[in-house]
Amino acid sequence: MPQNAPSFSSMLEAAEHSAVHLEMRDAYGVGGETNDFTTWQRTGQRDIDRNSAHWAPWVDLVSRAVSRGVSVRRARIVSEPVSDYIRFEHAGTTVNLSAGEEVRWLPRRRASDIALPGNDFWLFDGHLIRWNHFAGNGSSGGPEIADDPVTAKLCSEAFEAVWARAVPHERYEIR
């Protein structure tokens, strides 16, 4: 990412109306979650304290955006039966919800006829894209910022199609 590209926090802080996030992987290997995921695998216990050192910065950032009137939505396309990592994500989603996010889940077999971009992304106010690139092992390959109107339209349409079919977190049953 170029040195002058905005941080994720500044992008969300600058959002005026919406921030949507589409996740399409069944496993991530993001460094900041490694210890929490390992603990969850070993004990079945997940950090769901919105005030914990892990969650507090996220909760604060999202809560501020939502309080400004920004709609923050996250959709996850998942294979079923779900991976351990998706079980782990599902167990922590209550914190996302408590911050003001809306979260939905779409079984991958119900997404077959949706034109999807090749990477996970955040789309801010329908025009600014933050691609999330990942390596094969799920580690972050770094973000990329784009604002091409045609690509933003693809992301917006893909997200809305997924959102329309997806199941709200409260009703999604892990399989």
Side-chain angles (χ1 to χ4, degrees):
M1 182 170 81
Q3 294 293 352
N4 61 353
S7 68
F8 174 81
S9 295
S10 66
M11 293 175 80
L12 186 55
E13 288 168 353
E16 296 178 2
H17 309 288
S18 64
V20 300
H21 185 35
L22 184 60
E23 298 178 9
M24 299 181 282
R25 295 180 56 92
D26 287 320
Y28 295 86
V30 181
E33 294 178 338
T34 303
N35 291 339
D36 199 20
F37 182 53
T38 301
T39 299
W40 177 83
Q41 286 179 305
R42 192 178 67 253
T43 67
Q45 299 299 309
R46 175 82 201 263
D47 174 10
I48 55 170
D49 177 2
R50 62 181 275 133
N51 298 312
S52 71
H54 173 76
W55 283 109
W58 180 257
V59 169
D60 183 53
L61 180 65
V62 172
S63 296
R64 284 194 323 265
V66 170
S67 71
R68 289 192 329 271
V70 176
S71 170
V72 181
R73 297 182 295 158
R74 178 187 305 256
R76 294 174 169 145
I77 299 174
V78 296
S79 299
E80 291 181 326
V82 300
S83 67
D84 282 348
Y85 186 87
I86 295 301
R87 289 179 188 283
F88 165 77
E89 274 192 330
H90 191 271
T93 298
T94 57
V95 180
N96 299 83
L97 298 172
S98 76
E101 281 188 64
E102 295 178 72
V103 179
R104 292 187 181 181
W105 304 80
L106 181 64
R108 191 171 310 280
R109 68 177 52 251
R110 294 188 54 217
S112 296
D113 62 346
I114 299 173
L116 298 168
N119 293 289
D120 290 11
F121 64 86
W122 279 91
L123 180 64
F124 299 93
D125 294 329
H127 65 85
L128 185 60
I129 306 160
R130 181 181 177 99
W131 296 112
N132 294 329
H133 297 291
F134 294 95
N137 66 0
S139 64
S140 176
E144 178 184 357
I145 309 302
D147 62 0
D148 172 61
V150 173
T151 307
K153 183 177 186 236
L154 168 68
C155 291
S156 178
E157 289 175 351
F159 182 86
E160 294 305 332
V162 168
W163 190 257
R165 292 183 189 182
V167 178
H169 175 75
E170 301 81 17
R171 294 198 329 252
Y172 182 70
E173 296 180 25
I174 291 289
R175 297 174 191 199

